[in-house]
Amino acid sequence: QLVASGVGLVQRGASLPLSCADSGPSPDVWNRGWFRQAPGKDREGVSLISLSDGNTRYADSVKGRFTISSDNRKNTVYLQMNTLKMEDAAVYYCAADRFGNARTTLVPELYDNWGQGTQVTVSP
């Protein structure tokens, strides 16, 4: 079970950290990712981290502003969001790829275990 935390209302330009803890029994995970979904829009990939080699990938819209990291001992993935923009407002989801299907992609359908989502609101 993935449990995300970091619900926040922040002003444009501010920072907000998100975290997601995997409480499942010794999860065997290839990649952990963050996704988001704004009202009326499809769920989109934000960032992923490979747990085998630490490689990361970011959506172009967040490059240079967001940083993903993980603590494999705690089965936790983090997303540090800086310089938030109005268009970053969305429900953010963490997800795990437990079978290696996603490889280095941010295709939501290839992630098989999802957190409950956490709302991020950005005010002017």
Side-chain angles (χ1 to χ4, degrees):
Q1 181 179 5
L2 303 181
V3 180
S5 61
V7 176
L9 169 62
V10 296
Q11 286 189 318
R12 182 178 54 191
S15 298
L16 184 68
L18 300 180
S19 64
C20 177
D22 191 339
S23 61
S26 301
D28 186 10
V29 176
W30 289 68
N31 302 294
R32 295 196 185 277
W34 285 98
F35 297 79
R36 66 187 181 186
Q37 188 166 18
K41 295 188 177 181
D42 293 334
R43 189 169 298 188
E44 65 171 348
V46 175
S47 182
L48 71 86
I49 184 166
S50 167
L51 298 194
S52 62
D53 56 18
N55 283 341
T56 59
R57 181 174 179 179
Y58 297 90
D60 289 343
S61 59
V62 306
K63 281 181 181 177
R65 300 187 298 118
F66 290 12
T67 302
I68 191 171
S69 61
S70 69
D71 184 335
N72 293 348
R73 294 172 299 175
K74 297 181 179 180
N75 294 328
T76 300
V77 62
Y78 306 92
L79 186 69
Q80 177 64 42
M81 305 187 293
N82 297 328
T83 319
L84 282 162
K85 302 178 180 181
M86 299 292 290
E87 53 264 41
D88 293 320
V91 176
Y92 282 71
Y93 298 89
C94 57
D97 167 25
R98 296 179 297 181
F99 302 103
N101 294 322
R103 298 182 183 271
T104 60
T105 69
L106 283 166
V107 177
E109 291 77 9
L110 299 180
Y111 288 74
D112 58 272
N113 194 22
W114 289 82
Q116 82 281 11
T118 184
Q119 179 71 50
V120 173
T121 303
V122 182
S123 63

